[in-house]
Amino acid sequence: MASEVSEIPDMLARQIDAVETYWNAGRRLEEDGIRGIVTCARGTSDHAATFFKYLMETRTGLPVASIGPSVASVYGSKLRLEGFACVSFSQSGTSPDLARLQGVAKAGGAQAIAILNAADSLLGEGADMVLPVLAGPERAVAATKSFVGMLFASLAVLAGYRQDRDMKAALEELPGLALQALNLDWSSAALPLARSGSLFCVSRGPGLAVAAEAALKFKETCRLHAEAFSAAELFHGPVAIVSERFAALFFGARGSAARSLDDAMKVLRKRGACVLLAHPDRERASLPMPRSMHEAFDPLVQSVAFYRFVERLARDLGEDPDAPPGLKKVTKTV
């Protein structure tokens, strides 16, 4: 896992070299007049789909909905998706339920796009268009670089859809930002997170994808109980369990989501929780982040810093982040 996380800057450089592939996919969605998008994914890849969802909905107005693969694989339902695109996200591309949903979506009229690390796979073979992540072999059970690659692909597809050449050019700063993120010191977060009986990972909008991924990685690599929530959803019940020794890791945002995150942090601190904030504004952050040219890039950079941190935390706790008990690298579900 440590080795694969360290490869992220090089992977991003390869993606920049191939950026026209992602750009053209976004441009095609716009030219085809797509009315909406459905996503197909599980696990870490589904968190990448969440990032894609918020990017597209907030910056293009296209509705994006996640469809559970079991709708096709277990329940055998037919889907009516004329005028839609089905975008699948997967590291291996081999899970039968994802392939089944992609096939049913195509049969229902959807254009099938697959964002994959393994392009030569079931999903790749069934797609109308394959967007390779270019992460290379990923052997650790916990997926890391492929997730970051999917975030980059999502950003580049958005740039293509909007014909945003400034955003396209700004993508070139991401390998350097990722390298900076790998060298950040988040060690101050280790003790409060490790000693908490449970913890929340919190953000809003596109950052919610990183919060969800962080909660999964705490469980997967550290065997720490963690749950991800939108800052708004905290107040629809979950905040009731917050008290002393509770911890919350916030993935901060710039722009319109910042105020609600600040308000949520104040409430959790008043209830006795240890609140940690990853944010590019160093005067506010307890966990530092490099500042990108574009606020939409922040979740990608946050994920890189978090992966470096959580791998080290797992080892400090005596866990093996490369091979967590009970898990397999490729999970095939139906």
Side-chain angles (χ1 to χ4, degrees), residues 256-276:
S256 55
R259 182 173 179 178
S260 65
L261 289 168
D262 288 343
D263 291 344
M265 287 189 289
K266 290 177 184 177
V267 171
L268 267 59
R269 287 189 177 112
K270 286 181 180 179
R271 295 182 65 89
C274 174
V275 176
L276 302 159

Side-chain angles (χ1 to χ4, degrees), residues 70-224:
S70 63
V71 167
S73 64
V74 174
Y75 298 102
S77 301
K78 295 182 180 179
L79 297 171
R80 295 183 291 178
L81 293 172
E82 296 85 359
F84 278 70
C86 173
V87 182
S88 300
F89 295 78
S90 179
Q91 193 283 128
S92 71
T94 60
S95 190
D97 55 347
L98 301 184
R100 178 62 177 159
L101 176 56
Q102 178 183 257
V104 167
K106 283 183 66 176
Q111 178 184 143
I113 299 172
I115 300 178
L116 301 170
N117 192 34
D120 184 14
S121 61
L122 274 174
L123 279 174
E125 292 168 2
D128 298 312
M129 191 186 320
V130 175
L131 306 185
V133 170
L134 305 174
E138 193 172 54
R139 297 183 176 88
V141 168
T144 53
K145 58 180 179 173
S146 60
F147 173 77
V148 177
M150 290 174 189
L151 302 195
F152 181 98
S154 298
L155 289 163
V157 167
L158 171 66
Y161 185 92
R162 298 180 62 187
Q163 296 290 283
D164 188 337
R165 296 193 178 278
D166 289 338
M167 186 178 188
K168 181 183 181 183
L171 290 170
E172 295 186 7
E173 73 168 340
L174 283 171
L177 289 172
L179 189 59
Q180 292 179 49
L182 290 175
N183 292 308
L184 294 172
D185 182 8
W186 282 20
S187 59
S188 61
L191 182 59
L193 292 175
R195 73 180 181 182
S196 65
S198 188
L199 64 113
F200 287 159
C201 299
V202 185
S203 192
R204 290 205 77 168
L208 189 59
V210 183
E213 176 63 2
L216 174 62
K217 288 298 184 281
F218 278 128
K219 292 189 280 271
E220 187 177 29
T221 67
C222 300
R223 290 201 278 183
L224 292 174

